[in-house]
Amino acid sequence: IYSFLHSVIKVNPLIPFVLVGVICGILFVIVSIYLSRQFKESAFLFLLLVLTGTIQLFFGYVEIYAISTLLVLLYIYLSIRCLKNEIRFYYPLIVLFAGIIFHASVIFLIPSGLYLVWFNYRDRFSKGKTILSALGGLLLITAVLYLIFDGGENVTAFLSGGHILPLNKVQSNIMTAYSLFSFSHAADVFNGYLIAAPVFLFTLMLIIVHFKTLIKKIEYKGIFLLTAVLGYSVFTFFINFEIGVFRDWDLFSPAALPIVVFTFLFITEYLPYEPKKLLLILSVYSIVQTVPWILINSSEEKSLERFLYLTGNAVMSPYRSEEHTSELQSHSFISYAVFCLK
């Protein structure tokens, strides 16, 4: 987009990001409306979707995640319709693979896509065929990863380059801030999920407190959504957010979408309670959490305050710590230069 616009008129490189983000944001709202209509109490689902921290991606955010996030939501919408036997399974799968093209992290939704294939052919599947299909699915995921890593040549480099968290601190390098099973890692990921999906903590409480109810009542839509949530959970658990979760929250922010829809489904269809009051509380809580998040990111002054606070409080890798300091120095220099020019 930038190359095209720049060849016609001289345009700021930020403009294409803003343009794509705003267009995707409008489409996100439209898809949210259609997805919400697939459930009762649809107004509340719509509110919970547009009140995720993920929508920050559509406010001129200079990153590449807006398109893949929109495609993840569209994938969920089409999948729900597929599970209601309204459309064929290949429509959501096409959108799923389009999402993978725009960002590789979407591959962790492939297990949910395989579940759609099983659902479509479930009457023809014996237990043996189901096992074989699961193995075939694993081979498919392996093949996709093989292609993503240039025929496997970059797999070793990826695994040894700090992209996956080490099992213990001894194996850490300049790119890692902590080990896989450390408290700091758990706290970082937990806080990141709370930013992206305000309902996340409530989701965990629901599963723990009403686990027997979930096992008893879960059906096709619930299994699909839970598979999507678990897929993203594997990604966020093992991956090393090299620039810190506080900066890399956008990388796993699409995970908020299956979490929100699953939580909503749990409340409205599995719990024996009147859902409106609970949904109202979650909607208000989402407003209280997400609106300040957007305001902080839309204000240079507030963003800098957050950045400065994290300097002495966030757990960072040696690499990120050095970059963090450099960015602060660069910002100070630019601000001083602008002040002098004035």
Side-chain angles (χ1 to χ4, degrees):
I1 293 175
Y2 171 72
S3 299
F4 171 75
L5 291 177
H6 197 69
S7 65
V8 179
I9 56 173
K10 299 298 180 182
V11 62
N12 189 312
L14 298 179
I15 298 300
F17 284 101
V18 174
L19 184 63
V20 170
V22 170
I23 292 173
C24 287
I26 293 171
L27 294 174
F28 183 91
V29 171
I30 294 172
V31 177
S32 295
I33 292 172
Y34 278 94
L35 174 58
S36 301
R37 289 176 178 173
Q38 298 297 313
F39 301 91
K40 58 184 180 180
E41 309 294 350
S42 58
F44 284 109
L45 178 55
F46 174 76
L47 281 174
L48 292 174
L49 285 169
V50 299
L51 289 171
T52 58
T54 305
I55 63 168
Q56 175 63 38
L57 299 175
F58 308 124
F59 284 81
Y61 192 76
V62 184
E63 256 296 357
I64 61 173
Y65 304 114
I67 297 176
S68 59
T69 299
L70 171 63
L71 291 173
V72 168
L73 184 68
L74 181 60
Y75 166 67
I76 293 173
Y77 164 64
L78 294 176
S79 298
I80 295 299
R81 292 195 60 192
C82 171
L83 294 168
K84 295 170 73 174
N85 294 309
E86 295 178 356
I87 60 173
R88 297 299 303 276
F89 71 96
Y90 46 76
Y91 289 112
L93 291 186
I94 290 172
V95 174
L96 173 61
F97 283 101
I100 294 172
I101 291 171
F102 280 98
H103 201 277
S105 63
V106 183
I107 63 173
F108 288 90
L109 289 178
I110 287 181
S112 64
L114 295 174
Y115 179 75
L116 294 179
V117 176
W118 174 86
F119 174 81
N120 187 75
Y121 295 106
R122 64 191 183 282
D123 294 334
R124 308 177 193 179
F125 274 60
S126 63
K127 288 185 178 180
K129 288 183 178 180
T130 299
I131 294 173
L132 288 175
S133 299
L135 293 174
L138 290 174
L139 289 175
L140 175 62
I141 295 173
T142 303
V144 172
L145 289 171
Y146 184 82
L147 293 173
I148 288 175
F149 290 113
D150 298 330
E153 293 181 5
N154 293 331
V155 172
T156 303
F158 180 83
L159 293 175
S160 62
H163 302 298
I164 302 296
L165 282 174
L167 290 175
N168 55 65
K169 195 66 178 178
V170 177
Q171 299 171 312
S172 298
N173 56 41
I174 192 173
M175 302 298 291
T176 57
Y178 35 61
S179 58
L180 188 64
F181 297 102
S182 64
F183 175 79
S184 296
H185 173 223
D188 256 9
V189 172
F190 183 78
N191 287 329
Y193 268 117
L194 286 180
I195 288 174
V199 303
F200 175 66
L201 178 59
F202 186 78
T203 306
L204 291 178
M205 292 171 59
L206 269 182
I207 293 175
I208 294 171
V209 175
H210 295 282
F211 184 74
K212 290 184 178 179
T213 302
L214 175 64
I215 297 300
K216 182 179 180 180
K217 293 191 175 182
I218 195 168
E219 34 65 75
Y220 295 127
K221 298 191 297 294
I223 295 173
F224 164 77
L225 291 168
L226 190 56
T227 304
V229 170
L230 291 175
Y232 266 124
S233 298
V234 169
F235 168 63
T236 53
F237 180 70
F238 287 101
I239 201 73
N240 176 30
F241 296 99
E242 296 165 20
I243 62 174
V245 172
F246 64 92
R247 289 292 302 276
D248 243 352
W249 67 271
D250 47 10
L251 179 57
F252 66 89
S253 60
L257 305 178
I259 289 173
V260 166
V261 181
F262 174 75
T263 305
F264 179 86
L265 179 71
F266 203 140
I267 294 171
T268 56
E269 297 192 17
Y270 300 162
L271 294 183
Y273 314 130
E274 168 57 41
K276 287 186 179 180
K277 290 182 180 179
L278 192 52
L279 292 171
L280 179 60
I281 292 171
L282 287 178
S283 298
V284 172
Y285 172 71
S286 297
I287 293 173
V288 171
Q289 180 164 311
T290 300
V291 171
W293 170 245
I294 294 172
L295 293 177
I296 287 174
N297 284 279
S298 62
S299 166
E300 181 180 353
E301 181 182 351
K302 294 295 183 183
S303 294
L304 183 58
E305 285 180 11
R306 176 175 179 263
F307 215 66
L308 288 169
Y309 173 80
L310 291 168
T311 302
N313 293 278
V315 179
M316 303 183 196
S317 65
Y319 164 79
R320 179 57 212 160
S321 182
E322 183 177 338
E323 287 290 304
H324 192 83
T325 303
S326 176
E327 288 170 1
L328 283 173
Q329 291 172 344
S330 298
H331 181 275
S332 299
F333 175 78
I334 293 170
S335 299
Y336 178 72
V338 171
F339 174 76
C340 291
L341 289 172
K342 288 182 178 179

